[in-house]
């Protein structure tokens, strides 16, 4: 049975993951209307992944005798000044999510909830990977700058990244 404080903290994270999914969905839409299908495809996949992260938490809360909450979400940014700005926001957002996960891990230690602490290790590992991907992309985008040809090639290459990540073997569940 989950302690009330843990249930609340996990439900806060459910909202963070749901909002992340919306943030990336909005980025996908913006890229799609700008005609950059590779970037759009990558962001749609990121949005789906965040929904998976949310569902994993939902299932865990309900299985442990809690009640997962579906709450109102903050509206995301829907337009961006540039792709550079968009990917800067993506990295900033992932850093924010990592901070949320770390706080959550800290609460489980304070409350001596070692099962939830163990459950959250998957998220700790996932955040390391997501921050690394976001940094790699941002480095490339910064290198491209205003070069339209470079952006065209990047849009083509990022499709490969989406394919690779969608066929990667599932990590521990
Ligand atoms: Fe990348 O945010 Fe979920 O965990």
């Amino acid at each position: 049975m989950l302690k009330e404080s843990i249930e609340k903290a996990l439900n806060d994270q459910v909202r963070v993951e749901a909002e992340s999914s919306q943030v990336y969905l909005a980025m996908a839409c913006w890229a799609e209307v700008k005609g950059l299908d590779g970037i759009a495809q990558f962001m749609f996949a990121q949005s789906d992944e965040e929904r998976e992260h949310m569902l994993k938490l939902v299932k865990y809360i309900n299985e442990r005798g809690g009640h997962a909450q579906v709450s109102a979400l903050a509206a995301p940014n829907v337009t961006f000044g540039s792709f550079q700005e968009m990917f800067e926001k993506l990295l900033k957002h992932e850093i924010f999510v990592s901070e949320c996960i770390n706080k959550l891990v800290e609460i489980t230690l304070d409350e001596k909830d070692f099962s939830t602490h163990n459950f959250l290790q998957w998220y700790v590992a996932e955040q390391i990977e997501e921050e690394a991907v976001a940094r790699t992309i941002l480095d490339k985008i910064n290198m491209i700058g205003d070069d339209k040809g470079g952006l065209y090639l990047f849009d083509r290459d990022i499709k490969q990244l989406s394919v690779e990540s969608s066929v990667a073997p599932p990590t521990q569940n």
Side-chain angles (χ1 to χ4, degrees):
M1 188 79 183
L2 289 175
K3 277 190 192 163
E4 220 175 283
S5 56
I6 298 284
E7 184 177 346
K8 182 180 174 313
L10 287 170
N11 269 318
D12 286 346
Q13 192 61 29
V14 167
R15 191 177 32 76
V16 168
E17 301 292 345
E19 283 176 350
S20 302
S21 180
Q22 296 295 87
V23 165
Y24 298 159
L25 185 59
M27 289 179 177
C29 290
W30 188 72
E32 194 160 56
V33 298
K34 292 275 169 200
L36 290 171
D37 292 342
I39 296 177
Q41 192 179 307
F42 176 80
M43 293 313 307
F44 278 121
Q46 289 299 114
S47 173
D48 285 349
E49 267 194 34
E50 297 303 343
R51 184 176 158 77
E52 287 299 319
H53 298 172
M54 177 200 68
L55 286 175
K56 209 174 159 76
L57 282 159
V58 163
K59 295 257 183 313
Y60 180 79
I61 296 168
N62 291 341
E63 267 168 21
R64 298 288 316 281
H67 185 180
Q69 300 298 308
V70 178
S71 54
L73 305 177
N77 242 8
V78 292
T79 54
F80 305 89
S82 63
F83 281 98
Q84 198 167 5
E85 184 193 313
M86 192 191 91
F87 282 112
E88 269 164 14
K89 288 213 155 76
L90 179 131
L91 175 59
K92 222 169 136 197
H93 189 78
E94 284 303 330
I95 293 171
F96 160 74
V97 174
S98 298
E99 284 166 5
C100 294
I101 296 287
N102 290 344
K103 272 188 208 135
L104 196 47
V105 170
E106 200 181 326
I107 295 171
T108 61
L109 287 179
D110 290 346
E111 298 284 1
K112 298 194 172 22
D113 182 342
F114 301 113
S115 317
T116 305
H117 181 269
N118 185 46
F119 165 76
L120 289 173
Q121 295 315 301
W122 182 86
Y123 288 85
V124 171
E126 181 72 11
Q127 280 314 116
I128 294 172
E129 195 190 308
E130 296 209 329
E131 272 191 41
V133 170
R135 276 199 183 88
T136 306
I137 291 176
L138 191 55
D139 284 349
K140 286 192 203 289
I141 285 280
N142 284 340
M143 228 150 55
I144 292 165
D146 292 333
D147 176 18
K148 289 215 162 52
L151 191 58
Y152 173 84
L153 292 176
F154 173 77
D155 186 60
R156 193 194 59 187
D157 292 350
I158 201 174
K159 274 187 192 146
Q160 203 50 38
L161 203 66
S162 332
V163 173
E164 273 165 19
S165 61
S166 63
V167 296
T171 40
Q172 161 222 346
N173 252 327

